[in-house]
């Protein structure tokens, strides 16, 4: 048994057989075979070995011809490894004695070698590890005949372990089969994490290198509550986790009773509980959890899931589905927030060499690509004829951007009117507050908008200069940093003064640790991951606003995020314990 600690990004527990999607994304058809199949597996392995040797020699010859002997010699290490009789013996032994499939035997043996090299504290041997991985990749490629795994075609339940999963890949995970996932890279605020929460798949990211310690088929536990991944758990651990799975199920059932009661504080203040979604198919889950509307519809996922550019009709079809499903409840449609880690099918990550989070993303990308933006605006306006639709522009950092976006919206309205197509000409217009610039200039922005929503995922990264997806700086990515709290406070105060509705749709709002603080700062509209609604609602119903205000006041005097988190957690615990005693 081995345990790794990463970043918990999507709650829940998953126990199951692992499916490894490493850098190359290979999937083994079986990891064990019948004893009678061993001869065949050995033959397959030998053939793959020969095939790979031929390919490497061809690469060596062509490189030598083009660049000279020195460069051709790069392949010598691969060839000598391939020719090593010990390698053949070790792999054959695993097939014949342990009944491993050829793929599994290759992977286990070569990864064993790599681990051995890494432990020898010798820089030269450590470098050779890359040759071993490369050889493994080539052999597996030949044996499986496959490139990257197709996530949408799983046929049994698995726990996916990967070096990385992009948000686009994550949306293609089939929830019926993927019990959970864990990745070596990724941070708390990355969109992969957000999608996992939306899809309610337990997930841990930012684990660092751990894939070399596991093989497909090994039993694994992903603990999305505590950020742990346990490989090959022993019986006692398995039992402990099975008990926790059951406790979780009971807790979820208990919270389900709250679906139809309002999120009202003990002193009678009504809090609106809204949901964040990425896809129309999430609306039943929202209603099931008691969502009073959609506070953030991330429409860019229409692009991430598509293989061709979505048309105005595709946009309209998706929006109409959400609006109809929500039956008169408000639906905030956010315009395209593409770019950075959310790349559409036709966007290449390498196109932008500089930091993509500071580049042409979100509203900037939309304003620079009107052939992308205009059809979306028309579709949102058309959907506004079907229900309570509101439009929200992401990542606004200058007044020019907001005014230009509003102008384009007005033009789209005129166009539709000229074509005799219905829309709500009074559609409420809002912006996301996700850049320090927007928060600093909030007193100006509120004059131009009907509502705002604080996007803490980006606000944290831009305020603290911390990449939201980078595990190396995850410790600095803190919602409770006093700088972030001041910007939130300032935004809420300005909104109140201008009588502009303020909500929050960043992940901070889905974290129960911050519920009392946010209520104390004046937040009354909370837009959270659908699965978080019951828990957050339960907290709202256990507190009074003066109690939350006192907590907010105390929090704002504190300096360190860690100190603040500890304080807020202890206050939350006290509230929960008091109400448990009372019930
Ligand atoms: C945010 O930045 O807080 C937000 C909700 O937007 P996204 O996570 O989609 O960038
Ligand atoms: Mg954002």
């Amino acid at each position: 048994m081995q345990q790794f600690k990463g970043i918990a990004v999507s709650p829940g527990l998953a126990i199951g057989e692992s499916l490894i999607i490493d850098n190359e994304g290979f999937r083994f058809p079986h990891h064990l075979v019948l004893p009678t199949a061993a001869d065949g597996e050995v033959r397959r392995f030998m053939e793959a070995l020969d095939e790979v040797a031929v390919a490497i020699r061809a690469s060596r010859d062509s490189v030598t011809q083009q660049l000279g002997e020195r460069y051709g010699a790069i392949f010598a290490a691969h060839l000598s490894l391939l020719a090593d009789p010990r390698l053949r013996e070790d792999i054959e032994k695993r097939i014949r004695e342990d009944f491993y499939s050829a793929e599994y035997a290759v992977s286990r043996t070569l990864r064993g070698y790599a681990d051995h090299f890494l432990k020898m504290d010798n820089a030269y041997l450590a470098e050779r590890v890359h040759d071993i991985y490369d050889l493994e990749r080539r052999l597996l490629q030949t044996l499986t005949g496959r490139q990257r795994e197709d996530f949408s075609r799983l046929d049994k339940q698995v726990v996916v372990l990967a070096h990385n999963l992009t948000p686009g890949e994550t949306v293609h995970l089939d929830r019926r089969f993927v019990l959970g996932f864990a990745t070596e890279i990724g941070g708390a605020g990355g969109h992969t994490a957000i999608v996992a929460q939306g899809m309610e798949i337990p997930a841990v990211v930012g684990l660092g290198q751990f894939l070399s310690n596991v093989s497909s088929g090994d039993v694994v536990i992903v603990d999305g509550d505590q950020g742990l991944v346990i490989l090959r758990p022993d019986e006692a651990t398995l039992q402990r986790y099975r008990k926790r799975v059951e406790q979780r199920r009971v807790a979820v059932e208990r919270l389900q009773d709250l679906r139809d009661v309002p999120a009202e504080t003990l002193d009678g203040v009504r809090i609106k509980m809204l949901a964040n979604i990425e896809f129309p198919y999430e609306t039943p889950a929202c209603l099931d959890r008691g969502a009073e509307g959609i506070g953030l519809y991330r429409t860019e996922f229409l692009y991430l899931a598509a293989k061709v550019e979505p048309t105005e009709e595709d946009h309209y079809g998706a929006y109409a589905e959400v609006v109809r499903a929500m039956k008169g409840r408000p639906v905030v449609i956010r315009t395209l927030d593409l770019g950075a880690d959310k790349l559409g099918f036709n966007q290449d990550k390498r196109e932008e060499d500089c930091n993509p989070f500071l580049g042409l993303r979100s509203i900037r990308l939309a304003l620079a690509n009107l052939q992308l933006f205009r059809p979306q605006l028309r579709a949102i306006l058309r959907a506004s004829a079907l229900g309570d639709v509101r439009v929200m522009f992401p990542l606004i950092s200058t007044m020019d951007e907001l005014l230009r976006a509003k102008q384009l919206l007005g033009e789209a309205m005129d166009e539709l009117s000229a074509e005799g197509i219905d829309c709500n000409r009074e559609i409420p217009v809002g912006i996301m507050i996700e850049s320090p610039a927007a928060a600093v200039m909030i007193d100006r922005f509120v004059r131009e908008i009907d509502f705002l929503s604080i996007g803490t995922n980006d606000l944290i990264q831009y305020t603290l200069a911390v990449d939201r997806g980078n595990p190396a700086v995850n410790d600095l990515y803190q919602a409770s940093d006093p700088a972030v709290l001041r910007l939130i406070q300032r935004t809420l105060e300005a909104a109140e003064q201008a009588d502009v509705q303020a909500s929050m749709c960043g992940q901070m709002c889905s974290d129960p640790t911050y519920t009392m603080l946010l209520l104390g700062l004046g937040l009354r509209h909370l837009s959270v991951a659908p699965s978080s609604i019951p828990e957050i609602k339960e907290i709202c119903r256990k507190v009074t606003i003066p109690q939350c205000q006192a907590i907010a006041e105390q929090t704002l005097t504190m300096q360190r995020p860690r100190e603040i988190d500890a304080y807020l957690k202890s206050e939350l615990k006290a509230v929960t314990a008091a109400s448990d005693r009372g019930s």
Side-chain angles (χ1 to χ4, degrees):
M1 177 167 108
Q2 268 181 302
Q3 181 169 306
F4 294 82
K5 174 91 183 108
I7 306 163
V9 291
S10 182
L13 306 167
I15 307 173
E17 273 190 21
S18 60
L19 165 61
I20 300 174
I21 310 293
D22 63 13
N23 286 333
E24 297 303 321
F26 293 108
R27 179 188 177 196
F28 306 157
H30 324 277
H31 80 293
L32 291 181
V33 293
L34 289 172
T36 47
D39 279 344
E41 290 301 288
V42 171
R43 203 166 38 247
R44 280 202 320 118
F45 158 61
M46 293 298 181
E47 281 165 11
L49 208 61
D50 290 344
E51 211 175 300
V52 169
V54 169
I56 295 179
R57 270 187 227 110
S59 305
R60 178 197 59 192
D61 295 346
S62 122
V63 169
T64 307
Q65 206 177 29
Q66 288 169 40
L67 301 171
E69 297 252 328
R70 263 182 71 210
Y71 290 92
I74 291 170
F75 296 95
H78 289 70
L79 286 169
S80 74
L81 261 170
L82 272 183
D84 184 354
R86 173 150 171 224
L87 176 81
R88 289 170 187 247
E89 276 163 27
D90 285 353
I91 293 177
E92 189 173 341
K93 198 164 159 220
R94 289 201 151 174
I95 297 174
R96 293 201 185 281
E97 292 177 13
D98 301 328
F99 309 119
Y100 283 4
S101 68
E103 290 88 349
Y104 191 51
V106 162
S107 187
R108 283 310 288 235
T109 307
L110 285 170
R111 287 190 178 218
Y113 287 7
D115 279 354
H116 200 62
F117 277 26
L118 283 170
K119 282 190 194 122
M120 281 165 72
D121 199 21
N122 173 318
Y124 174 78
L125 288 179
E127 267 307 299
R128 297 280 67 80
V129 164
H130 297 294
D131 295 328
I132 294 178
Y133 287 149
D134 194 36
L135 205 58
E136 182 201 15
R137 183 179 58 78
R138 282 172 180 268
L139 282 167
L140 292 181
Q141 208 163 36
T142 310
L143 280 165
T144 62
R146 296 186 68 138
Q147 297 290 326
R148 183 101 187 158
E149 176 58 29
D150 182 351
F151 297 110
S152 56
R153 283 209 218 118
L154 297 171
D155 50 14
K156 67 171 186 172
Q157 292 197 316
V158 289
V159 174
V160 170
L161 305 180
H163 173 65
N164 184 27
L165 285 178
T166 65
E169 286 168 335
T170 310
V171 300
H172 284 113
L173 295 177
D174 186 333
R175 286 180 303 166
R176 288 168 308 161
F177 297 116
V178 177
L179 301 169
F181 72 79
T183 61
E184 291 188 325
I185 64 174
H191 286 97
T192 296
I194 288 165
V195 173
Q197 251 196 45
M199 295 173 82
E200 298 184 25
I201 298 179
V204 178
V205 302
L207 284 147
Q209 234 184 45
F210 78 101
L211 290 178
S212 54
N213 297 282
V214 59
S215 300
S216 278
D218 284 356
V219 172
V220 60
I221 296 173
V222 170
D223 179 342
D225 298 332
Q226 295 178 23
L228 296 177
V229 169
I230 303 168
L231 309 178
R232 298 173 294 275
D234 57 27
E235 198 42 45
T237 309
L238 269 174
Q239 270 188 22
R240 192 158 46 83
Y241 268 93
R242 288 197 184 116
K243 203 162 151 201
R244 275 186 55 198
V245 169
E246 181 53 19
Q247 285 166 342
R248 258 193 149 266
R249 195 189 57 74
V250 171
V252 167
E253 249 176 48
R254 183 181 61 77
L255 286 172
Q256 188 62 21
D257 295 345
L258 291 177
R259 189 183 69 179
D260 299 321
V261 299
E264 190 173 306
T265 60
L266 290 173
D267 51 339
V269 176
R270 196 62 176 77
I271 310 298
K272 277 264 183 219
M273 291 303 309
L274 307 158
N276 296 344
I277 60 165
E278 284 76 41
F279 292 102
Y281 68 68
E282 291 176 81
T283 47
C286 297
L287 294 171
D288 203 38
R289 301 303 182 358
E292 297 174 81
I294 302 297
L296 168 67
Y297 177 8
R298 290 184 165 99
T299 59
E300 59 278 5
F301 280 85
L302 196 61
Y303 275 77
L304 299 198
K307 291 204 165 63
V308 292
E309 179 129 355
T311 61
E312 178 183 322
E313 283 314 305
D314 294 331
H315 282 286
Y316 176 70
Y319 307 160
E321 193 180 331
V322 172
V323 176
R324 289 197 178 107
M326 294 309 291
K327 299 194 177 73
R329 296 173 183 86
V331 175
V332 175
I333 303 183
R334 179 177 76 177
T335 62
L336 292 170
D337 186 40
L338 281 168
D341 64 342
K342 285 185 285 197
L343 298 175
F345 62 93
N346 57 354
Q347 288 177 288
D348 187 340
K349 208 174 172 90
R350 282 161 300 179
E351 272 169 18
E352 217 175 352
D353 283 338
C354 311
N355 184 339
F357 274 107
L358 299 178
L360 197 62
R361 74 169 281 220
S362 196
I363 193 70
R364 303 167 186 178
L365 189 106
L367 292 176
N369 292 280
L370 296 186
Q371 83 288 356
L372 211 71
F373 200 27
R374 282 202 163 109
Q376 172 169 51
L377 292 176
R378 283 175 57 97
I380 295 173
L381 286 167
R382 284 170 58 196
S384 74
L386 306 174
D388 183 353
V389 170
R390 307 166 187 196
V391 60
M392 177 159 76
F393 300 120
L395 201 67
I396 293 289
S397 51
T398 71
M399 187 59 81
D400 277 347
E401 285 166 344
L402 172 58
L403 297 180
R404 176 74 177 131
K406 282 176 66 173
Q407 182 197 357
L408 289 164
L409 187 72
E411 285 173 15
M413 267 178 212
D414 293 343
E415 234 175 68
L416 289 173
S417 300
E419 293 167 30
I421 299 173
D422 248 12
C423 75
N424 174 14
R425 293 194 65 95
E426 302 301 317
I427 184 170
V429 175
I431 60 172
M432 291 199 60
I433 303 300
E434 2 184 39
S435 70
V440 168
M441 301 307 289
I442 192 65
D443 50 326
R444 303 262 173 86
F445 281 113
V446 286
R447 296 179 203 158
E448 291 291 337
I449 52 177
D450 301 305
F451 68 96
L452 63 84
S453 186
I454 304 175
T456 48
N457 307 339
D458 277 313
L459 188 62
I460 299 167
Q461 88 164 338
Y462 293 128
T463 304
L464 303 174
V466 176
D467 186 326
R468 59 193 272 186
N470 185 344
V473 285
N474 191 58
D475 280 357
L476 293 170
Y477 186 85
Q478 298 293 348
S480 50
D481 190 285
V484 176
L485 298 185
R486 273 201 196 172
L487 292 181
I488 294 172
Q489 180 192 28
R490 183 186 170 83
T491 302
L492 293 174
E493 281 174 4
E496 195 188 345
Q497 266 171 30
D499 201 17
V500 160
Q501 190 192 91
S503 86
M504 177 180 284
C505 58
Q507 295 296 101
M508 179 183 192
C509 204
S510 299
D511 185 339
T513 312
Y514 302 116
T515 309
M516 286 193 278
L517 166 66
L518 294 172
L519 296 187
L521 289 173
L523 191 70
R524 299 291 178 265
H525 291 73
L526 280 61
S527 191
V528 303
S531 56
S532 304
I533 292 177
E535 198 179 356
I536 305 285
K537 190 193 265 189
E538 189 179 42
I539 299 169
C540 294
R541 291 174 57 83
K542 286 180 173 172
V543 298
T544 66
I545 293 298
Q547 179 187 10
C548 294
Q549 282 166 338
I551 287 171
E553 216 170 287
Q554 175 65 18
T555 303
L556 292 172
T557 64
M558 297 177 162
Q559 314 290 333
R560 296 194 188 91
R562 196 167 290 183
E563 182 194 2
I564 292 174
D565 283 348
Y567 167 66
L568 293 175
K569 282 191 170 113
S570 75
E571 289 294 329
L572 177 60
K573 211 164 158 192
V575 163
T576 327
S579 78
D580 286 351
R581 274 197 304 277
S583 60

